[in-house]
Amino acid sequence: VTVSKPSILKSGNFHMSDSASETPNEIKPAKRPTGIDPFLQSLVHHADYDGFEFGITLSVGGILVSGMLVSGRKFFENFGEKFGSAFEDAEVRKSLASSFSEWGVLYDPQEDGTRRESTYLHIKDVAFFTTNSQPIPSDAGSWWRGRISEVDGFLLGNLTAN
């Protein structure tokens, strides 16, 4: 009777040794995937170029990041307004908002009509959750920008504090 190895062991995620020099049936852990999750990148691409906005919670380095996924253009427009609002002078506020807003051109189609690959994601009303389940910051209106390549996992929907 021949028993085949489970498919997960054949897939490259684990390796069972057939070599006499290694411990028989040694299971080696899978290497951590590198790069960008193409599915998450496609969701971000839809936010950047098709205007999709939806709640998302990301696991990033052991911290949960939760809020509404928005386009890069919307991020820069609103980030500039929020940043500028800290200044009393109306001209300074307007100048800062305009300056940050100009970064939104990164999300315009290129001259040949193609769209840039999404490598950053943008969250509005962001909250960070640690093991005590209390969000940081606790006020709404904060904006966050992060590299897609740094996300360990995600789920659709926002977390809320109890």
Side-chain angles (χ1 to χ4, degrees):
V1 173
T2 304
V3 178
S4 64
K5 295 177 184 176
S7 61
I8 191 167
L9 300 177
K10 292 179 190 175
S11 70
N13 290 333
F14 290 92
H15 169 73
M16 290 185 69
S17 173
D18 291 324
S19 167
S21 65
E22 297 181 32
T23 306
N25 297 324
E26 176 185 1
I27 297 177
K28 296 180 181 178
K31 292 182 180 178
R32 183 172 183 210
T34 58
I36 293 175
D37 175 348
F39 181 64
L40 177 58
Q41 187 176 37
S42 72
L43 292 174
V44 173
H45 188 81
H46 284 298
D48 283 340
Y49 297 106
D50 299 324
F52 288 16
E53 290 188 14
F54 52 89
I56 193 164
T57 300
L58 312 165
S59 174
V60 181
I63 303 235
L64 297 177
V65 179
S66 190
M68 293 294 290
L69 181 68
V70 299
S71 72
R73 176 174 289 288
K74 185 169 188 172
F75 169 84
F76 285 114
E77 289 169 355
N78 288 276
F79 182 88
E81 286 179 22
K82 182 145 178 110
F83 188 83
S85 70
F87 297 88
E88 291 182 20
D89 185 297
E91 286 300 314
V92 170
R93 283 195 308 267
K94 184 178 177 182
S95 175
L96 287 169
S98 175
S99 178
F100 281 108
S101 193
E102 289 176 14
W103 282 90
V105 301
L106 293 171
Y107 299 92
D108 289 346
Q110 297 180 31
E111 288 181 18
D112 63 2
T114 60
R115 299 170 171 180
R116 288 182 175 84
E117 185 175 83
S118 297
T119 55
Y120 284 84
L121 51 86
H122 304 88
I123 307 288
K124 76 174 182 177
D125 297 330
V126 69
F128 302 91
F129 290 84
T130 59
T131 55
N132 72 2
S133 75
Q134 292 303 309
I136 307 164
S138 58
D139 63 332
S142 296
W143 293 84
W144 183 78
R145 172 178 163 92
R147 289 191 312 267
I148 299 172
S149 63
E150 297 302 312
V151 175
D152 297 314
F154 71 96
L155 61 93
L156 293 180
N158 295 39
L159 293 182
T160 56
N162 295 338

